[in-house]
Amino acid sequence: MPDISDTTIETDDAKATAADPHAKKKTRKTVGFYLASGWLGLLVLVTFLGAFLPLPRWDESSVDYLGSAPGTPGHFLGTTMDGYDMLSGLVNGARLSILFSFFSVLVGGSIGSFVGITSAYFRGKFDIVVTTIFNIMLSIPNLVLSLALLSVLAYSDPDHPTSTSRRVVVLILSLVIVIVPILGRIARSSTLQWSGREFILASKSMGTKNFTIIRKHILPNVAPAILAIGFLAIGSVIIVEGSLALLGIGIPGGASWGSMLAAGRGNIEFSPHEVYMPALCIAFTVISCNWFGDYVRLRLDKREAKI
Amino acid sequence: MDFLSLIVKRLFGIIGVVVIATFLLSCLMWLLPGDPAAVVAAGAPDAVINEMRRDLALDRGVFGYYIHWFSGLIRGDFGAYYLNGGSRPVSAVIKATLPVSIQLIVYSQIVALFFSIPLGLISAYKEGGRFDKIVSSTLFTLVSFPAFALALIMSLVFAVKLGWVDPIGYVKPSENLGEHLKLMILPVTSIAVGLTSSYTRLLRTDVIATLKEDYVTMAASKGISNSRVLWRHVFRPSSTTLLTSAALNMGGLIGGTIVIETIFVVPGMGYEIFYSIGARQVIAMQTYIALVAFAYVFFNSSVDVITNLIDPRTRERRA
C-alpha cells in the first residue's frame, strides 16, 4: 500500500531535481495534469449536481434489472446483482468519498498545521511535547489506528447496532486523527526552514506580535507545501476509507465507493463491473490527487529555487 | 562512545513511544460500553465475566489494568482470545501467523527490488530518453494505484476470468512449495507494484546525482565498460536511500498487509488483526497493535543507527 509516510522521501527527490541544473526550467503542464484536473473537476461537479441528474435512485433496486451488464438501456453502467443502478451508486459514492476525504483533510490539516507551525515557531518545551505526540501517533500505521478507533468508538453490540450516522461521525473523526500528525509534521518542518530567515528576524525586531508574524509571513510561505501534501493526504484518506469498508467496518449499505466494492466482492464472478468500476473510480481519484499534488509541489520547488 | 549513547538514546525512544502508545490504547478501551471483559466475553454468565475482570486487573482502573497487561507482555504473556467459553493464548496464534506475514513481506520486497534496481539504473542512465519517460510516468501512476483495487482487479482477471491461479488460499511452503508460491503470486504482486514504483524513483534520483560525480567520468574515461561502471561505481554509493526506504517499509508493511491478506484469505498477522476486531477480541487486538507499533518504531530507529554506523557522512549531514 502506498503509505503516505513515503511522501517525505519523495519531497527530497523533488528537491534533488530542483537543485539539478539540467532539470526542466518550467513546470510543464503534462497530459497527466490535464487528465487529473479533468477527473477531479468532474467529481466536484458530480458532488454538487449529482442530486439533480436524471438518474434512478441509488438506494432503490429495480427488480427487472438484476446484474445487468453495462450498456443496458436506462442503466448506462449496468446494475448490481441486487438491482441497484451502478451509475447513480457511483455518483452518490463520489459525493460521499469526496465529502469525507475533503472534510477530514481540511479539519485534520488545519489542526495539524496550526500545531505544527506554532510548535516550530516557538520551539522550546512545547515543540518537544508536540514532536513526541506526533511520533507516537505516527508509530501506528494509519490503517491500524483508524481500525482501532472505529472498532472502539463505533462499537456495535449485536443487540444494539450502531446507527449509520454515528459510524460516519466516528469515521470522519478517526480520519481526522490520522491526518493531524501527517500534515502537522510537514507544517512543522517547513516552518523551521522559514522561521530563521532574516525577514522574520526583522519583523520581530520591529516588535510585531508573534501571531501576526505567523499569519503574515510564515503562513503564506508554508501553505503551498501543506497544500501539496494535502492533496496526497486526500488520496490516502480515500484509500483508508476503501480499506475500512472492505474490512467490513466502514460505511455499510453500498453508500461509498469502498462500501460498493465490499458489497460487490461476493458477486465478482457474475457481475464483475460491480467490482472493477468502484475500484477504478478510487484508483483514478487517488492518482489524480497525486498528479495534482505533484504539480503544486513542483511549482513550489521552482519558486524556492529562485529565492 | 558517541555511537553507544546514540543506541541507548534510541532504545529509550522506542520504549517510550511504545509505552505511551499502548497506554493510550488502554485508555481507548475504557471508552467501550461496559468494559473490555463484557465486550470480549459477550453473553457469558456474570460470574465468569467478574472472574475475568479480576484476572485481567480490569477492576484496578486504567493504570492497574495497563501495568498488569504490560508486565504480562514483557514476560511473554500476550493475553488470550476468549471465544465459546474457552480461552486461547494469543502467543500461539502469533507463532502461527507471523511467519506467513513475514513470507508475504519478504517476497514482496525481493520482487520489488528485483525489478526496481535495473529499472532505476537504466532510466537514470538514459535520463530524459524515451525509456526513462515511459518508465517514470508509468511508475508515477502505479505508485498511487491503491493496492486493494489492484488486488481485486487482478483476482478478477487472473483468477476468475482466466482461471490461472486460485483466487484465495494459502499453502505452507513445507507442504507444497510450488503451490505455495503460486498462491502467493497475486498478493505479492499487489503489494510489490507500489513498492517497485517508489524504489525505482528513489534509485533513479540517486543514480542521476552519482553519475555527475567526477570519479564516474574518470572510470568511464579509463575505458571500463558501461555496465561495469554502473554496477561497481554508481550503484553501490547510490543504493543507501533505497535500502533505507526498503528497511523502513518492513515495519509499515506489517500493518499494510491487513487488507491484502483479507482479500486473498492469507492467514497472516494482518488477517488476524482483522479477525480479532470482527470477533470483538479487544485484548488480543491491543497486543497486535502494540506489536505492530513496536516493529514500526524498531525498524525506523535501527535504520537510523545502522546508516549512522555504515555511512559516516550522514552524521555530518545531520549535525
Side-chain angles (χ1 to χ4, degrees), chain A:
Chain A
M1 171 171 296
D3 204 315
I4 191 147
S5 47
D6 291 352
T7 47
T8 40
I9 301 165
E10 280 163 24
T11 320
D12 290 341
D13 131 322
K15 262 185 208 129
T17 344
D20 172 8
H22 298 284
K24 284 174 225 152
K25 290 280 179 300
K26 207 171 136 210
T27 316
R28 274 218 330 263
K29 291 197 172 80
T30 52
V31 187
F33 171 77
Y34 286 114
L35 284 178
S37 21
W39 175 257
L40 289 181
L42 182 72
L43 285 185
V44 173
L45 214 67
V46 152
T47 306
F48 289 108
L49 301 178
F52 305 109
L53 293 176
L55 290 172
R57 281 182 62 89
W58 71 272
D59 52 355
E60 254 170 33
S61 127
S62 45
V63 201
D64 303 337
Y65 297 95
L66 296 183
S68 324
T72 315
H75 298 283
F76 182 57
L77 292 180
T79 57
T80 69
M81 290 298 275
D82 302 319
Y84 296 109
D85 183 66
M86 281 304 286
L87 182 58
S88 40
L90 289 177
V91 164
N92 182 67
R95 218 157 69 199
L96 223 82
S97 296
I98 293 289
L99 197 86
F100 259 30
S101 45
F102 189 75
F103 187 75
S104 48
V105 170
L106 189 73
V107 175
S110 309
I111 301 173
S113 313
F114 179 76
V115 175
I117 291 173
T118 43
S119 78
Y121 183 78
F122 292 111
R123 308 298 299 269
K125 282 200 182 106
F126 179 58
D127 188 37
I128 296 174
V129 172
V130 167
T131 323
T132 316
I133 293 176
F134 283 173
N135 281 339
I136 289 166
M137 289 166 88
L138 289 169
S139 74
I140 304 178
N142 51 28
L143 183 61
V144 179
L145 182 60
S146 43
L147 263 175
L149 286 169
L150 257 176
S151 58
V152 170
L153 298 177
Y155 169 74
S156 70
D157 211 289
D159 306 325
H160 313 280
T162 336
S163 65
T164 308
S165 57
R166 186 188 161 103
R167 233 162 221 282
V168 172
V169 171
V170 171
L171 184 57
I172 291 181
L173 184 77
S174 61
L175 293 176
V176 166
I177 295 178
V178 168
I179 290 296
V180 167
I182 296 174
L183 284 177
R185 210 160 66 158
I186 301 289
R188 184 181 169 273
S189 61
S190 52
T191 307
L192 283 180
Q193 290 173 11
W194 291 96
S195 59
R197 302 247 172 131
E198 285 84 0
F199 68 94
I200 304 283
L201 192 68
S203 194
K204 265 186 200 167
S205 62
M206 285 184 339
T208 320
K209 281 196 192 113
N210 282 331
F211 277 96
T212 317
I213 295 181
I214 287 178
R215 205 183 65 231
K216 286 209 158 156
H217 300 300
I218 298 214
L219 197 59
N221 285 313
V222 176
I226 298 174
L227 205 69
I229 304 294
F231 270 106
L232 304 188
I234 290 183
S236 60
V237 164
I238 293 177
I239 292 180
V240 170
E241 193 271 326
S243 315
L244 290 172
L246 272 178
L247 296 176
I249 57 166
I251 309 293
S256 70
W257 285 339
S259 147
M260 287 175 80
L261 261 185
R265 255 187 75 201
N267 308 329
I268 194 168
E269 214 168 323
F270 311 107
S271 59
H273 58 277
E274 265 181 71
V275 173
Y276 72 73
M277 281 182 187
L280 286 178
C281 278
I282 294 178
F284 286 157
T285 312
V286 175
I287 291 170
S288 303
C289 285
N290 276 27
W291 275 105
F292 212 79
D294 200 60
Y295 175 73
V296 175
R297 201 185 61 199
L298 281 178
R299 283 193 53 158
L300 160 81
D301 282 336
K302 198 182 68 184
R303 207 179 61 118
E304 185 95 356
K306 251 193 234 163
I307 295 171

Side-chain angles (χ1 to χ4, degrees), chain B residues 72-132:
Chain B
L73 193 73
I74 290 172
R75 277 183 277 115
D77 172 13
F78 286 179
Y81 281 91
Y82 299 89
L83 281 176
N84 311 325
S87 66
R88 184 164 155 235
V90 171
S91 49
V93 178
I94 290 176
K95 216 174 274 170
T97 56
L98 190 61
V100 179
S101 285
I102 291 178
Q103 283 161 10
L104 189 60
I105 292 171
V106 170
Y107 294 162
S108 309
Q109 295 270 29
I110 292 174
V111 170
L113 288 174
F114 180 78
F115 285 104
S116 59
I117 291 174
L119 279 177
L121 278 176
I122 296 172
S123 62
Y125 185 65
K126 308 241 173 196
E127 191 202 347
R130 192 182 293 162
F131 179 80
D132 177 38

